[in-house]
């Protein structure tokens, strides 16, 4: 893995896409595989469906992993699903607290969204996805969220179980700042990003690991069996509807049954659920 760090940037996803766009040869794209762009803060952090991702300095982790395999990426949605599992494992490892998933890209701790994932594709000359950028934002101590997300956003260390004696073992270690680190010493920030990226690339590169991740994705999904509001993708001529979640299939599609009894498999869109 190759880490490229910025103290502040507009968006680590935008930077990753700019770097891919600057490549003129296939080999250059391929050489960017497993590069990870990290930032201490983002001035224009982006979320799904055109939303902003609130990314203030020193309170969260913002990074983008570039996946540029030898073959075309047929289904980027599965990359998001596997990334969500890698994030959950990282959070559980470092903060000793349960992490759950809300399809498709949200990670929840204590019934609050603490992390989101935005996967975007880079297209080759033939319009096929030859690389994906997987952007991950995690709120560690973030407070004072913008009004529109205040009702559902949260941060890991504001969950009550994380105030126990050794909850603060990683980024930010209690009182940790860059200045306290000696040369060669890794910050908790780096350790957590590395841990997540190790799992993430392992899932992407090994079919059997990917299958394990997908099973874990289903096990960690807290919406199966619940009735949700399905919000179709912006731009499609569909209105929101109520449906019962019956499962998640092997392509990470959400299986729902509408109130009329129609079964649907959703590969994009968003759902909302009352917790
Ligand atoms: C969402 O919740 O809708 C997805 C949020 C993704 C945020 C991350 S932060 C790092 C990367 N850079 C961005 O601009 N977005 C992603």
């Amino acid at each position: 893995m190759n880490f490229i760090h910025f103290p502040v940037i507009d968006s680590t996803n935008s930077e990753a896409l700019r770097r891919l766009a600057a490549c003129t040869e296939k080999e250059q794209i391929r050489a960017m595989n497993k590069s990870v762009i990290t930032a201490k803060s983002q001035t224009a952090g982006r979320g799904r469906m055109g939303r902003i991702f609130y990314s203030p300095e020193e309170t969260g982790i913002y990074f983008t992993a570039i996946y540029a395999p030898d073959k075309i990426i047929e289904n980027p949605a599965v990359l998001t699903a596997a990334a969500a599992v890698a994030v959950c494992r990282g959070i559980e490892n470092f903060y000793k607290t349960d992490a759950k998933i809300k399809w498709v890209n949200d990670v929840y701790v204590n019934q609050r969204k603490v992390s989101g994932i935005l996967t975007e594709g880079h297209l080759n000359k033939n319009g096929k996805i030859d690389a994906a950028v997987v952007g991950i934002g995690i709120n560690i101590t973030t407070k004072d969220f913008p009004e529109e997300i205040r009702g559902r956003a949260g941060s890991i260390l504001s969950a009550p179980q994380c105030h126990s004696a050794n909850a603060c073992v990683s980024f930010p270690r209690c009182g940790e700042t860059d200045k306290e680190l000696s040369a060669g010493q890794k910050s908790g920030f780096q350790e957590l990003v590395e841990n997540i990226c190790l799992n993430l690339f392992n899932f992407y590169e090994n079919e059997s690991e990917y299958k394990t991740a997908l099973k874990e994705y289903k096990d960690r999904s807290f919406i199966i069996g619940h009735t949700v509001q399905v919000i179709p993708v912006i731009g499609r001529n569909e209105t929101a509807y109520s449906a019962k979640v019956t499962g998640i299939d092997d392509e990470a599609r959400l299986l729902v049954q509408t109130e009329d009894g129609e079964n649907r498999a959703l590969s994009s869109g968003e759902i909302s659920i009352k917790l």
Side-chain angles (χ1 to χ4, degrees):
M1 289 189 284
N2 171 33
F3 289 87
I4 305 153
H5 183 66
F6 291 86
V8 54
I9 198 159
D10 54 349
S11 148
T12 54
N13 267 35
S14 300
E15 176 63 18
L17 289 170
R18 282 192 291 267
R19 286 175 180 240
L20 287 167
C23 296
T24 49
E25 304 297 328
K26 198 175 155 197
E27 293 68 38
Q28 290 175 304
I29 301 265
R30 181 82 182 108
M32 291 189 65
N33 190 35
K34 293 193 172 184
S35 297
V36 181
I37 307 204
T38 65
K40 274 219 157 127
S41 70
Q42 300 183 117
T43 53
R46 298 188 283 110
R48 289 177 73 239
M49 312 210 79
R51 299 197 187 103
I52 58 142
F53 188 81
Y54 183 54
S55 317
E57 192 185 356
E58 300 263 328
T59 67
I61 291 182
Y62 320 108
F63 63 101
T64 297
I66 300 178
Y67 178 52
D70 236 350
K71 50 181 199 274
I72 293 302
I73 298 170
E74 303 287 354
N75 184 1
V78 299
L79 302 180
T80 307
V85 173
V87 170
C88 288
R89 286 193 188 180
I91 290 175
E92 288 186 352
N93 242 331
F94 278 68
Y95 295 101
K96 315 288 176 231
T97 183
D98 283 351
K100 302 264 175 245
I101 295 170
K102 174 176 159 276
W103 184 87
V104 54
N105 67 330
D106 294 341
V107 172
Y108 273 64
V109 168
N110 240 28
Q111 304 199 338
R112 291 264 160 185
K113 173 175 168 174
V114 298
S115 172
I117 301 165
L118 176 66
T119 303
E120 298 177 290
H122 174 267
L123 303 183
N124 69 11
K125 287 186 235 109
N126 305 320
K128 304 270 185 204
I129 304 176
D130 60 0
V133 304
V134 183
I136 297 173
I138 307 176
N139 307 322
I140 307 288
T141 58
T142 317
K143 293 190 197 121
D144 304 327
F145 290 99
E147 176 82 46
E148 60 276 20
I149 54 170
R150 207 166 286 160
R152 61 176 189 283
S155 50
I156 295 173
L157 291 182
S158 60
Q161 72 270 30
C162 288
H163 286 295
S164 61
N166 59 5
C168 207
V169 288
S170 53
F171 172 78
R173 289 189 186 89
C174 295
E176 178 183 270
T177 68
D178 281 353
K179 292 185 199 75
E180 290 164 352
L181 300 172
S182 50
Q185 193 186 356
K186 285 181 186 172
S187 68
F189 173 109
Q190 275 170 289
E191 283 173 12
L192 180 52
V193 174
E194 281 181 24
N195 175 288
I196 291 171
C197 290
L198 265 179
N199 272 318
L200 179 142
F201 288 121
N202 191 26
F203 294 152
Y204 292 175
E205 290 178 342
N206 301 298
E207 184 68 29
S208 69
E209 293 291 330
Y210 170 70
K211 285 197 174 128
T212 308
L214 197 68
K215 183 179 176 309
E216 199 173 315
Y217 182 87
K218 293 177 196 175
D219 292 344
R220 287 182 185 273
S221 291
F222 63 83
I223 50 160
I224 297 174
H226 287 268
T227 298
V228 297
Q229 276 291 108
V230 179
I231 303 145
V233 175
I234 295 169
R236 283 210 199 138
N237 202 13
E238 291 174 11
T239 45
Y241 59 91
S242 178
K244 185 170 177 185
V245 178
T246 54
I248 290 170
D249 74 8
D250 288 344
E251 285 166 34
R253 292 183 305 182
L254 190 73
L255 306 175
V256 297
Q257 187 170 63
T258 66
E259 284 172 341
D260 306 336
E262 186 195 335
N263 291 312
R264 296 186 183 178
L266 311 174
S267 47
S268 56
E270 191 165 84
I271 50 161
S272 78
I273 179 172
K274 281 210 168 55
L275 295 173

